[in-house]
């Protein structure tokens, strides 16, 4: 069960009951500040009749509860996390301190502007930097995540066409390799999506694209490098064709890690790009979020940017709430400030001198993994990759082993699995994204494990693969049961 | 660069394994004209860690903040007390640096916490189920409007103007790209006008969206609205700004709300200049398959032990693509952990204390107002509108207050462009002490 | 192996090689501030010829290294930690933030006094509080830990006698139940120790004491409650006898948790007491330290307090370095300031209203555990205990099971063992100190586990006990091998 | 009380199990006259968490500190850069809230870290072995003197006055209770007087204690001292104040020191107004059984896997009692983890950079001194003595500097009571930037 060449090892952990099973009392021992005074009489008629049933734990018990739960998680700090399309890189610890400085953490979004110039300056600078990096100078920090950026961008594109009186553009072309958020975002903005089939190399097929372009196409949403990790080498021509047909090109910036400091989406002809700062700029994923998805656009789209935005006049920074053609706000404030500040710190650490090294090491690492694994695993789209590489389980299928088994076996060996079954354009996808912050030693351990798994398949040595994972506090979980009769809250 | 582990020797060895001569070759698939010159971007020069600390410290020190200024600002963001434990828990790498729990076996920490979060949110709002977060209150309200459209297959949304103008603006924006209409029903006296609202509901109405306590802090009986919704088959959507209210006043679910959504920032999240906060979202069990966002459910593992997974994913974009209930992917995960930790530390009793003191502080403030200032009347939780005889008096007061280290309120027109400019939106929490109220009143006195 | 009634469960952890095995390069990627300039010529002749051989890791690797190592530890945040005599209570998280405030963390000990008044005020207040709690008003914050406090106290006692010309007092009486630091400290201060045998109830035997008192006795060192957890009910008489014989009474304050806010050592007649703030006042143990051992004394000993001390005159706080009769400094600064500040915060949280609850709940918890276990385990000194209770393995010995086996079995069940084989006055000691910050539920789980172990012994079900621990990343370690041929540093 | 989990119902149930009626009965063994009245102690009233944060924040804000003042203070405590990672690692509950690793199976984290710490300390000092810490540099020097007495069975200790006066005072104090003599040998020109020192060694000498770089920052050749010690069979004890020096200059072990001890504060520990810091302690393998303090050793577990334990405990107080090599029990454990993390982040190269820049900053400062100030000459690492023509000029400068947010140096007589009052002890680290030096020199200029 425990292979000493890999880090995974059985150890002592703690079971932890649900809070509701643990706590046995209505009272908690917290002590709080504030005025001592009666509940205002006017509220008496509205008093809550029954307590919510939120069991309190004393501080010592609460800490132990959550510390134990935390230990059941794998994080980037515990081990390799090569989730393709997710850019799980190291999250600098100093950033956690920065955003907790009282002069940043305890600002109210509506306190007088003059009292928040320090924060506004940092955010304005980030706006500028992101525009520069994207090659699309006008930036909104408002979108709360990548998908939200997509929605914002598509709204702007629609507003752009409508402002020109070009109202029949109601179609968004989306490659079949696209992330699910792309079609979902287009739909949310009231547009119809049409899927375009990828070519044999996983890239956009120019003929297929041309066949779909028309005066009803508002935009093409593309991801470059695409979700198979390949650069769309025809990107300039693609953009030219779309523009020629009167459409705009929306860039899904989730894969910007391959390009940052090396090439700029704006230079390629992309009109509008969201940036997942929780990927490229290393803000922690937090078990699902929060992220931030600033959107950068060119001159044509600039008038439609959502409000509020941060502007500078003279030495003074302002939050500007109104603009004639703005699509309006997409979020309740200027953005996920704490997340954005971490991103600014990551960019500041690299600076103009080093920023490109993010991309060069990320791409180096992905190609290294690809080179080491390409004989043992099926590579659907051979050639160089960018920041991530795509394999499939085709070879292992012959031995009854599928991507899921491989993923679960990696868990026992101490690795977080790669992204599985995405992109959808290949069967049994395994999308591996090492990022720039992993060492060669870690990549080697991972590749050794993958190769050993492949050898075990060849040798018919597959029991551990079917049974995996055996080591964590829980083994494979029954997702069907969970979905069939969903239990989403605890009933005492 | 301190985040890059490779030595040059590592890089050479790796290039050799790959079979290329240089890192540049790895980028050969990018057309030459697209390559930018190294170091040519107009960015600042690289900073070492000490330099970054100095830079951010200087920026932070340039701000006033609720740590050194008494904060009477609300409008959707509140300076409640955040126990240090909350911050410790969400700073632990195992919570902080994990992705969305796609591999449940090694994500049970996040998943059990989400399940506890969902349960506590549902209980606090007195609803059947809650999801694992929306981006913020404004987008949660917008998603609620969309969800109601899907459930009712109707395209008319009625919104009270006593809903936070920012929530309304985002909702209006989201709805504007779709067929159908959005009706905003004015309020009176800085309080929800239920009659007008009820009058606006018809048989084509998908949902009526109110805020409770409303944007002006007003608390009112939702029962008549429930009746009206029932009469027309419309859904009742209740939003909120400061969720701490429900430690004291009846929860929206108790009035039969169909969807309840709003901000969870009050539950252990610092104001942070506007984010990250969290959108809470709860609904009835029967509507769960139309709910947007991620949700965690209970199940069993291969050995029959209880465990948790993300579930109902057939609603979501990665399965359903353009037919998904929402496009949301990354959400506010870590903020769920913050909320869960906070609620665990406070429990019913602590939540009641927070709410009681937040309300009591406002009542004390209002009771002490001098004659030249009036407060909006009726039942208010921890927020109200103060009206001055003129913009000049108000702004003089704001200035005097700031000199005394008091953020005295938000000029109402700043959030609500339709408001005139002699009002202040004023909020209180348990962070306000009796001396702060006294100082506030003294400044008011002095502004006359 | 895994009993679901207890928290211990097997889970996935990570092996982690030694830093020296992991790192493979001389270079690290840290970037540092400072002036760019040549090494001064005058130093050239002294240049280090060979690098030290300290392998650097990049920041991402370093974090992962230490995060993984941390997970191999049991801490009070992970589980129950009933180490007798160690007072392992919850360490409030907010204290960690307080001592990291830049205005406290970045003070130089020799910066101008006027620029450090805030810190001095906190420390002065703590001095006053500790004096009040001990009933011994004069306090030095200098000693770095309990043992260091003992040394300081004995030095002062010696200085006191010598100042009176009473120079032949060279003996310190120490009960056989005393902690090892007591005789060691006395010896370090140049005094001879004589052990006094405890009575049948584990307490000081008055006759035995009287027999040893003489004009050569400088002091008696005693611990109250003693290390068996029993209060020395004759304490007043003991002190009277010692004083009558011209000696002084040194109190080892390690067990102050039983008394805080309830009774005061000074009132009992104790002349000098150290306080382990890392026990009673909840400063974290940190895997061995740092602690702090302030010493509180009465008027007679006050002139001999070590310097520097913090004094107040008017509104101003001073660090006073000289005093005529001071024994001189025992530490390089005013004390372990960061530790002391945490202690001050703990006292501040309870305040005068609640301070006694520390002792009442601590004593309640210990007696509860004793009550639940007293039939299954041998209780050498029956009766009420104070903050800890003492059991032995006498009953289990009949089944070939000893204290060590019980301790190791507790590990597998998810508990940190109690203190074992201390005090030395009973065979196979198990000293259990729950502290005030544990819940009834936790105590019940622990007692259930202990009772089950006792039943397993009865039933001859002892294999798990002999084999334990089976769950942690390492099983029993060979201490003999370690000591025989000590390997204390890594050789590449 | 937020740290006490029991409800009153818990307490009653427990009292019943115990078989007593009230908590008071549990204290019946304490004579009645010793009981104090609840709440009668003269302490402050209890503070909630927010109140404690406010209190400590106010106290912290009342201080100037090296975060907002350029710090040229040394004398044994140095403002070096501390990477955020160090603080994160030592804040993790698993390291922070563990006891001394008495149960090695569940303490391997602390133990492996200690083993790595010992190895790195030994390597940095170029010694065979290091222990797992002493309280601080001063007590480490005192323990070194005692250890040398045990090894040599001699009772005469020779100390250079160029050893930090505080280390000397503590050592003098420790030795004063024992038989034997302590000889202090004066220095000249703010540098160690090796000749005088060597002259003071005789055949009864247990050890000679020097500091290197010495208290005044002076760096000198220890080889003659080694020879002299060999001639007389005395041990050579080398102490240090700023261990960062050994990233640049030859380590004490390279000169054949028998015991090397000093402060590890420079390696990732904030100044903290004097503590907690850490005493590093290293010696030759052959003397290891006379070493004070805890030590971690490598061994195997029951399955033959490598593991670590505390070892050589027969030297220690809990086994050997009055015959122990030291009385130390709790040590500076967590600071070992801080040191280990810091060294891991810096490695040889980083440590060299820190040392090089610390020294270069001092050289730049000295090179720019105006005529009315002289610096002590010879090789200096990062510390020296500036001498002014009078106390008045020096103090005028200190005041001017403080106005410019510069802590310009420690008045020498403050640490060294024998010094006259026109000197300043001045230190630099990599936290000092060129602009800080320029500002310092400008202030000096202005003080003339
Ligand atoms: C290619 C791609 N596009 C879009 C997204 C959505 O981004 P977010 O999760 O920030 O909403 C993702 C996230 O996984 C992605 O991988
Ligand atoms: C009874 C007793 N006395 C003294 C000490 C020594 O205290 P410290 O470890 O703080 O030096 C201890 C520590 O365990 C103890 O339990």
């Amino acid at each position: 069960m425990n292979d000493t060449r890999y880090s995974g090892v059985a150890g002592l952990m703690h079971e932890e009951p649900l809070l509701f099973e643990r706590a046995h009392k209505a009272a908690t021992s917290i002590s709080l500040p504030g005025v001592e005074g009666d509940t205002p009489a006017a509220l008496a008629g509205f008093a809550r009749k029954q307590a919510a049933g939120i069991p309190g734990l004393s501080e010592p018990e609460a800490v132990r509860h959550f510390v134990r739960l935390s230990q059941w998680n794998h994080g980037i700090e515990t081990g390799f996390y090569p989730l393709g399309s997710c850019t799980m890189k190291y999250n600098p610890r100093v950033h956690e301190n920065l955003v907790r400085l009282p002069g940043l953490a305890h600002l109210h979004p509506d306190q007088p502007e003059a009292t928040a110039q320090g924060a506004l300056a940092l955010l304005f600078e980030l706006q500028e930097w992101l525009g520069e990096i994207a090659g699309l100078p006008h930036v909104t920090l408002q979108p709360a995540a990548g998908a939200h950026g997509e929605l914002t961008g598509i709204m702007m594109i629609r507003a752009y066409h409508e402002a020109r009186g070009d109202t029949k553009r109601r179609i968004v072309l989306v490659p079949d390799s696209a992330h699910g958020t792309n079609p979902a975002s287009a739909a949310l903005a009231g547009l119809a999506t049409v899927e375009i089939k990828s070519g044999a190399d996983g890239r956009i097929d120019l003929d297929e694209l041309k066949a779909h372009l028309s005066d009803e196409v508002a935009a093409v949403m593309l991801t470059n490098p695409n979700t198979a990790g390949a650069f769309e080498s025809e990107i300039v021509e693609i953009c030219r064709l779309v523009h020629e047909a009167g459409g705009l090109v929306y860039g899904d910036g989730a894969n910007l890690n391959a390009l940052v400091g090396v090439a700029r989406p704006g230079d390629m002809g992309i009109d509008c790009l969201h940036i997942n700062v929780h990927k490229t700029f290393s803000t922690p994923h937090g078990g699902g979020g929060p992220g931030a998805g600033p959107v950068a656009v060119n001159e044509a789209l600039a008038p439609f940017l959502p409000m509020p935005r941060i502007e500078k006049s003279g030495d003074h920074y302002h939050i500007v709430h109104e603009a004639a053609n703005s699509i309006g706000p997409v979020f309740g404030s200027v953005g996920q400030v704490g997340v954005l500040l971490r991103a600014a710190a990551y960019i500041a650490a690299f600076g103009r001198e080093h920023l490109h090294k993010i991309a060069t090491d990320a791409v180096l690492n992905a190609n290294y993994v690809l080179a080491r694994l390409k004989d043992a695993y099926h590579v659907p789209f051979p050639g160089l990759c960018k920041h991530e590489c795509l394999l499939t389980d085709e070879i292992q299928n012959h031995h009854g082993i599928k991507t899921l088994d491989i993923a679960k076996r990696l868990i026992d060996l101490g690795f977080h699995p790669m992204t599985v079954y995405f992109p959808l354009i290949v069967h049994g996808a395994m999308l591996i994204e090492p990022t720039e912050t992993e060492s060669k030693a870690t990549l080697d351990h991972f590749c050794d494990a993958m190769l050993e798994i492949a050898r075990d398949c060849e040798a018919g040595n597959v029991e551990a693969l079917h049974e995996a994972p055996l080591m964590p506090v829980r083994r494979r979980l029954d997702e069907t049961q969970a979905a069939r009769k969903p239990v989403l809250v605890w009933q005492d | 660069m301190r985040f890059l582990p490779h030595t040059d020797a590592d890089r050479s060895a790796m290039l050799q394994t790959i079979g290329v001569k240089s890192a540049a070759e790895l980028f050969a698939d990018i057309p030459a004209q697209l390559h930018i010159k190294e170091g040519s971007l107009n960015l600042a020069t690289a900073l070492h860690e000490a330099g970054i600390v100095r830079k951010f410290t200087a920026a932070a020190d340039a701000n006033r903040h609720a740590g050194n200024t008494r904060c009477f600002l609300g409008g959707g963001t509140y300076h409640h007390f955040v126990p240090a434990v909350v911050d410790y828990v969400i700073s632990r790498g195992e919570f902080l640096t994990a992705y969305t729990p796609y591999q449940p076996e090694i994500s049970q920490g996040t998943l059990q916490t989400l399940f506890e979060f969902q349960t506590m949110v549902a209980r606090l709002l007195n609803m059947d189920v809650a999801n694992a977060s929306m981006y913020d209150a404004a987008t949660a309200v917008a998603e609620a409007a969309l969800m109601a459209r899907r459930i009712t297959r109707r395209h008319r949304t009625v919104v009270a103007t006593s809903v936070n103008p920012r929530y309304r603006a985002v909702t209006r924006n989201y709805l504007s790209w779709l067929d159908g209409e959005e009706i905003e029903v004015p309020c009176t006296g800085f309080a929800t006008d239920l009659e007008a609202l009820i009058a606006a509901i018809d048989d084509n109405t998908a949902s009526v969206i109110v805020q409770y306590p409303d944007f002006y802090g007003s608390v009112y009986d939702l029962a008549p609205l429930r009746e009206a919704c029932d009469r027309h088959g419309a859904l009742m959507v209740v939003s909120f700004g400061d969720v701490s209210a429900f430690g004291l006043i009846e929860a929206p679910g108790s009035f039969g709300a169909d969807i309840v959504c709003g901000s969870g920032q009050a539950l252990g999240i610092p104001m942070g200049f506007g984010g990250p906060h969290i959108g809470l979202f709860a609904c009835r069990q029967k509507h769960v398959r139309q709910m947007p966002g991620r949700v965690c459910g209970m199940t069993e593992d291969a050995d029959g032990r209880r465990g948790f997974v993300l579930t109902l994913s057939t609603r979501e974009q990665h399965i359903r693509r353009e037919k998904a209930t929402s496009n949301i992917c990354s959400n506010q995960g870590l903020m769920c952990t913050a909320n869960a930790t906070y609620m665990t530390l406070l429990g019913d009793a602590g939540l009641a204390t927070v709410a009681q003191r937040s309300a009591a502080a406002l009542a004390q403030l209002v009771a002490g107002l001098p004659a030249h200032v009036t407060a909006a009347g009726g039942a208010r939780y921890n927020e109200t509108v103060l009206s001055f005889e003129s913009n000049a008096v108000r702004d003089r007061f704001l200035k005097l207050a700031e000199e005394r280290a008091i953020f005295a309120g938000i000029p109402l027109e700043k959030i609500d462009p339709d408001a005139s400019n002699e009002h202040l939106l004023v909020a209180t929490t348990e962070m306000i002490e009796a001396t702060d109220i006294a100082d506030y009143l003294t400044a008011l006195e002095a502004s006359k």
Side-chain angles (χ1 to χ4, degrees), chain A, chain B:
Chain A
M1 181 162 139
N2 171 26
D3 188 321
T4 54
R5 281 168 306 158
Y6 308 110
S7 70
V9 64
L12 174 63
M13 290 205 167
H14 295 273
E15 279 290 344
E16 181 62 15
L18 283 164
L19 169 63
F20 316 102
E21 298 167 304
R22 198 180 218 287
H24 53 105
K25 57 178 183 270
T28 165
S29 48
I30 190 114
S31 55
L32 290 158
V35 302
E36 313 270 347
D38 294 334
T39 303
L43 288 178
F46 297 96
R48 184 166 187 138
K49 278 168 221 64
Q50 212 181 345
I54 294 178
L57 288 178
S58 67
E59 189 173 316
E61 294 170 286
V63 168
R64 199 174 282 166
H65 179 73
F66 289 107
V67 165
R68 287 178 171 188
L69 288 183
S70 77
Q71 293 178 335
W72 298 357
N73 269 3
H74 182 102
I76 191 77
E77 286 187 358
T78 24
F80 191 42
Y81 217 129
L83 262 187
S85 209
C86 299
T87 317
M88 290 296 286
K89 60 177 74 172
Y90 169 68
N91 307 131
R93 270 291 154 188
V94 68
H95 298 185
E96 298 308 306
N97 299 349
L98 301 178
V99 299
R100 285 168 174 83
L101 289 166
L104 295 173
H106 296 308
L107 300 191
H108 189 284
D110 291 301
Q111 72 184 59
E113 250 169 39
T115 66
Q117 289 294 303
L120 288 169
L122 291 175
L123 292 170
F124 181 80
E125 188 176 48
L126 176 65
Q127 261 179 208
E128 301 278 301
W129 286 350
L130 293 177
E132 177 73 4
I133 290 167
L136 295 162
H138 306 283
V139 174
T140 171
L141 299 178
Q142 235 193 2
H148 202 215
E150 295 168 19
L151 173 64
T152 306
I154 297 295
M155 284 176 174
M156 290 167 65
I157 289 173
R158 234 188 115 170
Y160 162 88
H161 291 304
E162 282 172 13
R164 292 158 45 105
D166 191 358
T167 53
K168 69 168 178 291
R169 296 189 177 268
R170 291 305 195 86
I171 290 174
V172 175
L173 301 182
V174 183
D176 53 4
S177 61
H179 194 262
T181 51
N182 292 8
S185 299
L188 206 50
L191 298 179
T193 57
V194 173
E195 204 168 85
I196 51 176
K197 261 211 155 65
S198 298
D201 61 354
R203 293 185 170 84
I204 290 174
D205 179 331
L206 280 192
D207 292 332
E208 170 86 3
L209 174 69
K210 284 184 208 151
H212 282 93
L213 286 173
S214 76
D215 60 358
E216 288 181 19
V217 170
V220 175
M221 290 184 95
L222 53 78
T223 312
N224 195 15
N226 65 23
T227 62
F231 189 79
E232 296 286 357
S233 304
E234 298 284 9
I235 183 67
V236 176
E237 177 65 5
I238 291 168
C239 293
R240 200 190 59 74
L241 287 169
V242 177
H243 290 152
E244 196 176 69
L248 294 182
V249 181
Y250 182 90
D252 177 337
N255 291 350
L256 187 62
N257 216 46
L259 302 180
V260 58
V262 168
R264 311 197 303 170
D267 297 345
M268 301 170 191
I270 288 168
D271 300 287
C272 176
L273 179 93
H274 79 254
I275 298 169
N276 309 61
V277 304
H278 45 299
K279 302 182 196 276
T280 311
F281 298 119
S282 187
T283 72
H285 282 251
V295 172
V297 301
N298 57 17
E299 296 297 335
L301 287 170
F304 308 100
L305 281 167
M307 289 290 139
R309 284 188 70 220
I310 296 157
E311 293 183 5
K312 184 178 185 182
S313 56
D315 281 348
H316 199 82
Y317 299 91
H318 309 274
I319 303 180
V320 179
H321 286 272
E322 306 272 338
N325 293 305
S326 166
I327 55 166
V330 294
F331 190 69
S333 77
V334 292
Q336 307 246 48
V337 176
V339 177
L340 295 163
L341 293 177
R342 289 174 173 93
Y346 199 72
I347 297 172
F350 285 86
R352 65 191 316 160
E353 309 93 295
H354 301 302
L355 195 77
H356 63 281
K357 293 183 184 166
I358 295 175
T360 49
D361 274 3
V363 170
L364 174 69
N365 285 357
N367 278 289
Y368 180 71
V369 170
L370 179 60
R372 287 207 55 199
L373 300 185
K374 67 172 180 239
D375 293 333
Y377 290 90
H378 171 239
V379 179
F381 309 121
L384 287 178
C385 64
K386 295 266 81 54
H387 64 301
E388 57 194 351
C389 64
L390 181 63
L391 310 174
T392 86
D393 58 1
E394 191 177 296
I395 298 173
Q396 289 68 37
N397 278 178
H398 300 310
H399 309 282
I401 291 302
K402 38 188 206 318
T403 286
L404 191 71
D405 303 317
I406 297 167
K408 299 301 182 192
R409 176 69 183 143
L410 284 169
I411 290 177
D412 276 341
L413 299 177
F415 305 97
H416 195 284
M418 63 290 275
T419 288
V420 294
Y421 303 112
F422 176 81
L424 307 174
I425 53 169
V426 297
H427 184 272
M430 295 187 276
L431 188 64
I432 304 171
E433 182 178 10
T435 86
E436 72 275 16
T437 64
E438 294 296 336
S439 69
K440 178 170 181 294
T442 298
L443 302 182
D444 280 330
H445 286 143
F446 174 76
C447 292
D448 290 348
M450 286 291 286
L451 294 175
E452 178 165 309
I453 290 171
R455 278 196 304 275
D456 281 344
C457 290
E458 291 291 336
N461 211 342
V462 294
E463 205 193 331
L465 280 148
H466 284 301
E467 292 287 304
L470 289 160
M471 307 269 276
V473 286
R474 291 294 179 277
R475 294 184 53 210
R476 290 194 203 186
L477 288 135
D478 188 339
E479 312 211 355
T480 317
Q481 177 190 328
R484 215 177 36 224
K485 247 196 133 248
V487 179
L488 310 183
V489 297
W490 180 251
Q491 309 287 356
D492 287 313
Chain B
M1 246 313 299
R2 68 187 188 281
F3 307 133
L4 303 180
H6 294 329
T7 58
D8 285 342
D10 290 333
R11 291 191 182 92
S12 307
M14 292 167 75
L15 289 170
Q16 201 171 347
T17 302
I18 298 168
V20 296
K21 294 224 178 47
S22 70
E25 273 186 57
L26 299 175
F27 292 89
D29 51 357
I30 302 183
Q33 83 270 23
L34 294 179
H35 284 262
I36 57 178
K37 205 166 141 304
E38 265 176 28
S40 67
L41 291 181
N42 185 15
L43 305 172
T45 53
L47 286 178
H48 46 67
E49 183 177 332
I52 288 181
V53 172
R54 288 171 188 157
K55 175 183 172 129
F56 275 71
T57 304
D61 287 348
N63 304 324
R64 302 277 294 273
H65 56 86
N68 58 21
T69 309
R70 280 76 63 84
C71 182
F72 289 81
L73 312 183
T77 308
Y78 302 86
H79 185 51
H80 285 287
F81 178 63
V82 181
V85 167
V86 175
D87 209 40
Y88 170 61
V89 167
I90 66 170
S91 298
R92 284 184 58 86
E94 294 90 331
F95 278 130
L96 182 74
T97 73
Y99 202 76
T100 303
Y102 288 146
Q103 297 289 343
E105 299 88 348
I106 46 174
S107 311
Q108 286 296 305
T110 292
L111 285 161
Q112 180 165 328
T113 303
L114 283 179
F115 187 78
E116 294 180 345
F117 163 82
Q118 290 171 183
T119 303
M120 287 191 275
V121 170
R123 289 181 179 190
L124 187 58
L125 304 177
N126 201 9
M127 296 294 289
D128 293 341
V129 294
N131 77 5
S133 81
M134 309 305 298
Y135 301 134
D136 72 347
T139 56
V141 173
E143 291 272 15
L146 297 175
M147 175 171 165
R149 287 169 53 116
R150 286 193 299 275
I151 293 171
T152 60
R153 294 166 191 271
R154 297 176 181 179
H155 293 210
R156 184 168 180 274
T157 307
V158 176
V159 185
T161 57
S162 54
V163 170
N164 188 320
R166 293 192 180 140
Y167 306 173
R168 279 189 283 132
V170 172
T171 304
R172 200 172 341 144
N173 190 4
Y174 271 56
L175 292 174
S176 71
W177 310 97
L178 308 175
D179 297 334
E181 57 176 342
E182 194 245 13
I183 309 287
E184 302 205 357
V185 180
C187 60
T188 45
F190 301 120
T192 304
D193 185 341
L194 260 193
E195 266 178 57
L197 201 59
I198 289 171
I201 308 173
D202 65 16
D203 290 349
N204 292 320
T205 303
S207 65
V208 188
I209 305 181
V210 294
Q211 183 169 328
Y212 163 86
D214 70 18
F215 175 62
Y216 310 105
S218 169
V219 177
Y220 54 99
D221 184 7
L222 287 164
L225 186 63
R226 177 70 268 174
E227 271 172 46
C229 286
D230 283 341
R231 269 198 308 278
H232 295 286
L235 298 190
M236 175 165 137
V237 176
V238 180
S239 68
F240 53 83
D242 187 340
V243 66
S244 73
F246 308 126
L248 180 64
I249 65 169
E250 197 52 271
S254 307
F255 296 100
D258 295 292
I259 303 174
V260 179
C261 54
S263 177
Q265 179 266 327
L267 303 175
I269 302 174
M271 300 189 296
F273 207 41
H277 296 168
I278 182 174
L280 305 181
F281 196 103
C283 70
R284 299 278 150 215
Q285 179 79 39
K286 65 178 173 198
H287 295 143
V288 80
R289 285 173 203 274
Q290 287 300 338
M291 189 165 63
R294 296 224 155 92
V295 69
C296 167
M298 194 161 88
T299 187
E300 286 186 346
D301 82 349
D303 292 335
R305 291 174 300 185
R306 177 177 71 196
F308 303 91
V309 292
L310 291 182
T311 190
L312 299 181
S313 50
T314 51
R315 297 163 304 121
E316 287 187 73
Q317 45 74 25
H318 61 285
I319 307 280
R320 196 61 74 85
R321 302 181 75 85
E322 70 278 3
K323 298 198 185 60
T325 56
S326 168
N327 68 335
I328 195 168
C329 180
S330 292
N331 57 16
Q332 301 297 106
L334 195 68
M335 302 296 106
C336 302
T337 306
N339 278 183
T341 307
Y342 177 88
M343 287 190 274
T344 300
L345 284 166
L346 271 81
D348 281 336
L351 291 167
T353 304
V354 164
Q356 200 272 334
R357 294 192 184 165
S358 297
L362 186 74
Q364 283 186 22
L365 180 69
V366 168
L369 287 178
H372 72 291
V373 189
T374 55
R380 305 273 156 177
Y381 170 50
N382 67 340
E383 199 154 13
T384 192
V385 177
L386 298 189
S387 300
F388 293 74
E389 61 199 45
S390 70
N391 173 262
V393 178
R394 183 196 74 179
D395 286 358
R396 188 163 63 234
F397 164 60
L398 282 179
K399 200 165 157 294
L400 276 171
E402 208 179 302
E403 284 162 18
R404 292 155 196 228
I406 298 172
F407 287 150
I410 306 173
L412 193 56
E413 72 278 13
K414 198 178 162 190
I415 301 192
D416 186 354
D418 301 334
S420 55
N421 64 6
E422 72 278 14
H423 308 292
L424 272 190
L425 187 66
V426 176
T428 51
T429 69
E430 78 286 2
M431 292 299 271
I432 296 297
E433 303 288 352
T435 51
D436 302 325
I437 295 172
D439 291 350
Y440 190 105
L441 293 173
T442 309
L444 260 184
E445 226 32 278
S447 71
K448 175 60 203 176

